[in-house]
């Protein structure tokens, strides 16, 4: 089984508003509004534009936020991804291999 | 007894007693049909002369307040509120027909007027800018709204912040302000000239008396206003005044929980609320003294446009 790939659920239906430390996103797919801090917001914005592997997402989020892509960062990112998945904002892409 | 309705000349009987009457409430046209003479007298006192129903007016809410069954008219008479499609409440005592109709109209607006984002809020205007007072029941919203309306602010609404998302403006809905329990005395003491109707004792919300909407607010009931200030008020007995700025994200969250139809409107509601918060400065206020709260509101910074 390969590494998980992620994509936003209903990416066209995400409406954003940004404040200094918090973003709010309205998710048309579920009708829910979510307040997101910097990390989940960054991850979701990246996944809104394209599906990414966990690896690629960690690298790109670390680069975009000026963090080091190390073990603690990976653990934080996995927690963020699980939280976004729980809120039905992102989902695992179906595997393309048997 | 300070009951402005009791002192006012009664003008009922101009039309046949059961004829429907048309009232304009801001963006809404309401048809009321009732055989209850005292109810019609109170409506006339509160909102002025109704228009005759010529059958050519587009009516948004078609309301009836009927008497209960014949037997109940003899023992414990009732008033029954009906819309064109529903009877949403259990009967009230007939003597409570006016608050029943007022609450019934609130129910109609809250469940149907989805052309607006509806905030549960008092709204007032000064110099073209609107002050929004979103609050939960029991927070002193109606008392504060009434007091501001008696101190020169134009009353847009005590109950509904009707935000037209196409324009970003707030629409007036100037109706009677229901003051409950201790608030009746507070407003009488605050402004002895306040035009309060009769006290309806022991309603489902306690004792209720209605402040008649100021004539100026009724006259300008089609003039919308630009939202500028949002204050979340909370009355706490003996509390010193505390006015704290609110972060936009906090205000947004609180407003989304306060609105009647935010979820129903979906992305439209989200965009409307976003625009509202962007166009306003937001505070949270705790107060124990009405005059101190009003002074603070009077000194809110003038919007920079």
């Amino acid at each position: 089984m390969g590494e998980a790939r992620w994509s936003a659920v209903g990416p066209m239906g995400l409406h954003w508003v940004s404040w200094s430390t918090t973003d709010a996103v309205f998710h048309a797919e579920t009708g829910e509004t979510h307040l997101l801090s910097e990390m989940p917001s960054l991850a979701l914005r990246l996944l809104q534009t394209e599906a990414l592997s966990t690896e690629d997402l960690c690298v790109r989020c670390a680069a975009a936020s000026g963090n080091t892509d190390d073990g603690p960062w990976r653990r934080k990112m996995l927690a963020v991804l699980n939280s976004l998945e729980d809120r039905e904002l992102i989902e695992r892409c179906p595997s393309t291999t048997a | 007894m300070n009951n402005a309705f009791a002192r006012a000349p009664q003008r009922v009987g101009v039309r046949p007693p059961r004829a429907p009457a048309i009232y304009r409430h801001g963006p809404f046209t309401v048809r009321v049909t009732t055989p209850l003479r005292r109810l019609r007298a109170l409506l006339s006192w509160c909102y002025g002369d109704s228009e005759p129903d010529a059958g050519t007016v587009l009516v948004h809410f078609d309301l009836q307040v009927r008497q209960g069954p014949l037997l109940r008219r003899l023992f414990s008479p009732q008033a029954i509120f009906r819309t064109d499609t529903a009877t949403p409440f259990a009967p009230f005592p007939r003597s409570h027909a006016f608050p029943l109709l007022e609450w019934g109209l609130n129910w109609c607006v809250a469940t149907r007027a989805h052309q607006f984002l509806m905030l549960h809020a008092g709204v007032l205007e000064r110099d073209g800018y609107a002050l929004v007072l979103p609050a939960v029941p029991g927070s002193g919203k109606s008392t504060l709204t009434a007091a501001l309306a008696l101190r020169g602010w134009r009353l847009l609404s005590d109950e509904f912040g009707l935000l037209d998302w196409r324009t970003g403006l707030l629409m007036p809905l100037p109706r009677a302000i229901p003051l409950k329990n201790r608030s009746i005395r507070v407003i009488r003491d605050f402004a002895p000239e306040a035009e309060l109707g009769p006290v309806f004792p022991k309603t489902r919300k306690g004792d209720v008396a209605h402040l008649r909407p100021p004539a100026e607010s009724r006259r300008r009931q089609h003039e919308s206003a630009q939202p500028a200030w949002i204050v979340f008020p909370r009355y706490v007995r003996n509390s010193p005044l505390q006015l704290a700025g609110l972060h936009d994200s906090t205000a947004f969250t609180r407003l989304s929980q306060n609105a009647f139809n935010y979820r129903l409107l979906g992305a439209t509601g989200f965009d409307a609320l976003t625009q509202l918060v962007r166009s306003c400065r937001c505070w949270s206020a705790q107060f124990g003294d009405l005059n101190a709260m009003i002074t603070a509101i009077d000194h809110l910074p003038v919007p920079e446009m």
Side-chain angles (χ1 to χ4, degrees):
Chain A
M1 184 177 146
E3 188 187 14
R5 284 178 65 80
W6 302 90
S7 65
V9 177
M12 302 297 286
L14 291 170
H15 298 244
W16 292 88
V17 58
S18 296
W19 294 290
S20 55
T21 58
T22 312
D23 290 348
V25 62
F26 174 77
H27 189 212
E29 194 87 14
T30 57
E32 298 287 347
T33 304
H34 304 272
L35 286 181
L36 301 177
S37 56
E38 187 180 8
M39 271 179 71
S41 175
L42 181 56
L44 182 58
R45 284 176 188 275
L46 286 170
L47 293 172
Q48 187 180 6
T49 57
E50 60 179 321
L52 292 168
S53 67
T54 307
E55 168 75 20
D56 287 344
L57 196 58
C58 288
V59 171
R60 289 175 64 169
C61 283
S65 61
N67 284 286
T68 305
D69 180 21
D70 53 13
W73 174 257
R74 294 275 169 137
R75 283 192 290 278
K76 274 189 198 172
M77 281 300 299
L78 283 175
V80 164
L81 290 170
N82 286 332
S83 168
L84 292 174
E85 186 182 29
D86 285 347
R87 299 196 215 180
E88 301 179 35
L89 287 165
I90 65 171
E91 61 187 349
R92 291 163 201 261
C93 299
S95 172
T96 54
T97 57
Chain B
M1 179 173 145
N2 182 0
N3 179 343
F5 170 66
R7 295 194 307 271
Q10 307 295 300
R11 302 185 61 181
V12 172
V14 176
R15 270 190 298 286
R18 289 168 190 268
I22 301 288
Y23 289 95
R24 310 278 181 173
H25 292 305
F28 307 120
T29 302
V30 181
R31 175 163 50 212
V32 179
T33 307
T34 182
L36 302 179
R37 183 182 175 83
R38 181 174 165 77
L39 174 59
R40 287 185 283 113
L42 264 168
L43 283 168
S44 177
W45 170 77
C46 205
Y47 300 122
D49 291 340
S50 61
E51 299 173 28
D53 183 12
T56 56
V57 178
L58 177 63
V59 172
H60 298 92
F61 304 119
D62 192 3
L63 312 180
Q64 300 177 15
V65 181
R66 298 290 187 197
Q67 303 187 72
L70 183 60
L71 197 60
R72 295 302 298 253
R73 292 181 207 174
L74 302 174
F75 307 99
S76 184
Q78 293 177 326
I80 299 171
F81 173 82
R82 289 184 182 150
T83 72
D84 49 351
T85 59
T87 305
F89 308 125
F92 274 37
R94 190 167 69 190
S95 58
H96 292 172
F98 185 72
L100 171 64
L101 176 60
E102 287 293 301
W103 288 328
L105 180 52
N106 286 349
W107 180 87
C108 290
V109 173
T111 55
R112 297 191 194 175
H114 302 303
Q115 66 270 44
F116 301 103
L117 175 66
M118 292 182 279
L119 304 172
H120 183 220
V123 185
L124 303 111
E125 177 266 353
R126 187 181 64 188
D127 300 330
Y129 295 115
L131 163 70
V132 184
L133 301 169
V136 294
S139 57
K141 166 181 67 71
S142 292
T143 314
L144 180 58
T145 300
L148 286 164
L150 291 162
R151 285 282 171 86
W153 286 74
R154 175 166 69 103
L155 172 71
L156 268 68
S157 178
D158 160 59
E159 186 73 7
F160 291 99
L162 297 179
L163 182 69
D164 182 341
W165 66 73
R166 289 152 295 203
T167 63
L169 301 176
L170 286 157
M171 302 296 296
L173 186 58
R175 293 169 48 216
I177 299 179
L179 300 167
K180 299 166 203 87
N181 303 314
R182 189 171 164 272
S183 294
I184 300 168
R185 170 58 56 196
V186 168
I187 289 299
R188 279 184 179 153
D189 291 345
F190 177 83
E193 75 282 8
E195 295 186 286
L196 289 172
V199 175
F200 300 96
K202 297 180 180 175
T203 74
R204 294 173 188 190
K205 299 187 179 185
D207 294 351
V208 174
H210 295 79
L211 177 69
R212 179 154 77 161
E216 175 76 352
S217 294
R218 294 289 299 168
R219 190 179 67 77
R220 297 172 61 191
Q221 65 172 308
H222 300 295
E223 280 183 39
S224 54
Q226 173 71 46
W229 307 280
I230 298 172
V231 178
F232 293 86
R234 183 163 169 253
Y235 170 78
V236 176
R237 187 187 289 239
N238 298 325
S239 170
L241 178 67
Q242 299 171 43
L243 191 66
L246 271 188
H247 195 280
D248 285 351
S249 60
T250 307
F252 176 92
T253 305
R254 291 179 68 172
L255 286 169
S256 70
Q257 293 163 350
N258 161 281
F260 289 102
N261 59 345
Y262 171 76
R263 283 182 61 85
L264 187 144
L265 292 180
T268 301
F270 178 83
D271 293 340
L273 211 54
T274 300
Q275 275 304 113
L276 176 66
V277 172
R278 280 194 177 136
S279 64
C280 291
R281 292 186 64 181
C282 307
W283 291 269
S284 175
Q286 183 168 304
F287 67 102
D289 178 78
L290 197 52
N291 281 300
M293 186 70 238
I294 289 171
T295 301
I297 285 176
D298 281 339
H299 288 87
L300 291 177
V302 176
E304 297 168 11
M305 295 291 172

